[in-house]
Amino acid sequence: MSLSELKALACQAIDSRRDGIVGLARAVLANPETGFTEFKTSALVCQMLQELGVPHRKGIALTGIKGYLQGRQGPGPTVAIIGELDSLRVPDHPHANPETGAAHACGHHAQLGMLVGSAVGLLAPGVLDVLSGRVALVAVPAEEFIDVEYRYELHRQGRLGLMSGKQEFIRLGEFDNVDMAMLVHTNSRNGTKLALGGTSTAHLVKYVQFLGRAAHAGGAPWDGINALNAAGIALNAIHAVRETAREKDTIRLHFTITRGGVAVNSVPSDVRLEGRVRGRTLEAVAEANQRVDRCLRAGALAVGGGVRIATIAGYLPQINNSALLEAFRRNSVALVGQESVATRPERLAAGGSTDMGDLSHLMPAIHPYVSGATGRGHGNDYLIEDYDLAVITPAKIMAMTAIDLLSEGAALATEIKNRHKPFMTKEQYLSLQASRTREELYEGR
Ligand SMILES: [Zn+2]
Ligand SMILES: [Zn+2]
């Protein structure tokens, strides 16, 4: 059978189970869970893998899953197809969980449809018979770096090392036996059906606690130290240093107040912020972070309070492997036509960040975008409108790409693997991330 016949078989298999594949994505949409709490989501994916007869392990990095499809032509490289399990919190999203505010406003539920969909394609009769090596089906927790207080606590208890899903999978060695990886993300603003290439920003994550002193807010405010005022001054100082950001560095500084005081008649003594310092390069992020830390200390100094600043290793910029991207592009063009596939400049960073960036420093990895969504990403109107485009099409493209990579003795995958020089080893990665994580207590008294 020719390669194109094999790919057609895989696509037919995906079409024949279209409703089940889309059904899984919709079931995940209806059960949104944020990072490292995706227990129901994980169970839904496991159930589907079980039905497909895919051997897998679960509970990796709390909620992650890893399964394998073994080629029957002997050993060869391992190609990972990745989906993300977690949702955001956007309480006024139409599909938000009313209790937690969790909502799939980034389309990760579509990725899980793609993950099982590509498995369905590769399980079509005859396909695995001609592949060497294997495909790893990986569902990772916690791509959105939110709920920092919760994660930092898990970290302090030793239940989490690094605090995002792919980061922790790397630390746990779950990517040690993977040679290359692909993940397709939905998008509402591509302009074409597929958009390939580009990069993402690096970031550091901030978890900040302003420490004041409670006192009667009316009777004796002079006895108190107002932690909310410290936070307000710090946030204004951060606004003031934005003008030092260079355009080329794509600096983004953004914070939320997650605890702002508990009762209006007592001077707030414990105010917490979670934040993000993003930029095009690790150096730009480190420099901006120094300025942010000065601003945080300034808030504490102004009121005579303290501030505990936890700086947490965030993401590295995405580096798309050109040969892997080319294999993906060829299959995209074959499926949807040349005019529906755009390639972005390699250095174009839209501003967002992903831990696929971390993985891309260790192995060939790609992070293309597929349309099919409408609304603002992370907004209350972000919805997958076209499940065939957002789930079925990328499932087919990833299955087709895996066939290209692992057929003919896995020649293409082997070539990509051998030609690739990783940007760092796992050990270098772990020590880099350790050096980016620290906690400081500044006393402004
Ligand atoms: Zn997102
Ligand atoms: Zn996302």
Side-chain angles (χ1 to χ4, degrees):
M1 211 183 296
S2 73
L3 270 190
S4 53
E5 285 168 335
L6 268 182
K7 290 180 186 175
L9 270 184
C11 292
Q12 280 162 22
I14 293 169
D15 283 332
S16 73
R17 295 194 66 150
R18 185 254 174 216
D19 291 352
I21 295 163
V22 168
L24 172 75
R26 287 189 183 280
V28 172
L29 173 70
N31 290 282
E33 295 168 305
T34 54
F36 297 120
T37 69
E38 311 97 326
F39 297 102
K40 268 194 231 162
T41 309
S42 185
L44 286 165
V45 175
C46 284
Q47 193 190 331
M48 191 86 173
L49 292 176
Q50 192 88 33
E51 281 170 30
L52 294 172
V54 178
H56 59 277
R57 285 185 298 127
K58 56 185 180 177
I60 306 167
L62 304 179
T63 55
I65 306 162
K66 191 175 171 195
Y68 291 108
L69 299 172
Q70 194 77 46
R72 301 200 183 98
Q73 284 289 320
T78 298
V79 175
I81 295 175
I82 302 179
E84 294 161 343
L85 292 159
D86 61 323
S87 76
L88 284 157
R89 282 188 207 277
V90 183
D92 59 347
H93 190 279
H95 296 283
N97 177 314
E99 271 145 45
T100 63
H104 276 287
C106 200
H108 294 184
H109 61 299
Q111 294 178 24
L112 299 172
M114 296 174 210
L115 181 72
V116 298
S118 54
V120 165
L122 292 164
L123 285 164
V127 174
L128 289 175
D129 293 336
V130 301
L131 303 187
S132 303
R134 57 190 179 168
V135 173
L137 302 168
V138 187
V140 289
E143 188 273 338
E144 306 287 355
F145 215 131
I146 60 172
D147 299 345
V148 181
E149 180 174 351
Y150 165 67
R151 294 189 198 183
Y152 198 61
E153 191 49 39
L154 289 176
H155 172 75
R156 273 202 285 233
Q157 292 167 6
R159 294 173 62 202
L160 262 188
L162 291 167
M163 287 167 257
S164 87
K166 294 181 207 70
Q167 291 184 333
E168 184 67 344
F169 261 57
I170 292 170
R171 190 188 71 86
L172 292 169
E174 293 293 341
F175 283 117
D176 287 359
N177 60 3
V178 171
D179 296 297
M180 60 199 68
M182 52 184 154
L183 178 156
V184 181
H185 199 291
T186 61
N187 194 316
S188 57
R189 290 179 179 175
N190 280 346
T192 50
K193 287 183 179 172
L194 274 300
L196 281 47
T199 181
S200 57
T201 52
H203 69 49
L204 282 167
V205 176
K206 308 297 284 186
Y207 174 45
V208 182
Q209 182 179 23
F210 286 97
L211 303 157
R213 186 167 63 216
H216 197 297
W222 44 83
D223 284 340
I225 297 172
N226 193 316
L228 183 60
N229 287 343
I233 291 163
L235 290 175
N236 278 310
I238 290 165
H239 295 318
V241 301
R242 278 184 212 280
E243 68 174 13
T244 64
R246 296 171 182 86
E247 280 82 352
K248 71 175 174 62
D249 289 334
T250 321
I251 298 295
R252 301 279 190 278
L253 310 174
H254 43 102
F255 280 79
T256 57
I257 299 180
T258 53
R259 297 194 194 206
V262 286
V264 69
N265 56 1
S266 180
V267 171
S269 61
D270 177 359
V271 168
R272 299 192 200 183
L273 312 182
E274 296 182 4
R276 198 79 97 237
V277 179
R278 303 189 205 239
R280 266 285 289 121
T281 62
L282 291 177
E283 295 73 26
V285 170
E287 188 191 1
N289 183 58
Q290 282 182 6
R291 296 176 203 270
V292 165
D293 281 351
R294 283 206 311 266
C295 296
L296 296 170
R297 291 184 207 113
L301 179 63
V303 302
V307 60
R308 183 173 285 125
I309 306 170
T311 301
I312 296 166
Y315 299 163
L316 310 188
Q318 171 69 21
I319 305 161
N320 286 295
N321 177 273
S322 56
L324 191 53
L325 202 63
E326 176 55 24
F328 186 92
R329 194 193 65 79
R330 277 198 309 270
N331 288 301
S332 303
V333 168
L335 202 62
V336 301
Q338 186 98 43
E339 66 291 344
S340 297
V341 183
T343 303
R344 294 170 172 173
E346 205 177 309
R347 294 179 64 79
L348 183 77
S353 313
T354 170
D355 51 2
M356 266 310 263
D358 296 44
L359 199 58
S360 75
H361 280 67
L362 304 178
M363 66 181 65
I366 57 171
H367 189 274
Y369 291 89
V370 68
S371 298
T374 56
R376 301 175 309 276
H378 290 203
N380 62 356
D381 61 350
Y382 191 82
L383 295 167
I384 304 297
E385 291 288 356
D386 181 348
Y387 276 85
D388 289 295
L389 179 55
V391 175
I392 300 300
T393 297
K396 288 178 180 173
I397 297 169
M398 286 197 282
M400 291 161 81
T401 304
I403 291 171
D404 276 339
L405 290 164
L406 297 178
S407 58
E408 287 157 7
L412 181 59
T414 305
E415 187 190 327
I416 290 173
K417 182 185 165 181
N418 290 345
R419 283 204 177 172
H420 183 74
K421 279 203 186 69
F423 292 84
M424 55 185 73
T425 63
K426 178 183 160 191
E427 290 65 36
Q428 287 168 333
Y429 168 77
L430 293 176
S431 76
L432 169 70
Q433 292 296 48
S435 75
R436 298 173 80 216
T437 302
R438 60 192 165 271
E439 190 179 301
E440 157 188 342
L441 176 63
Y442 173 78
E443 293 284 358
R445 300 174 220 273

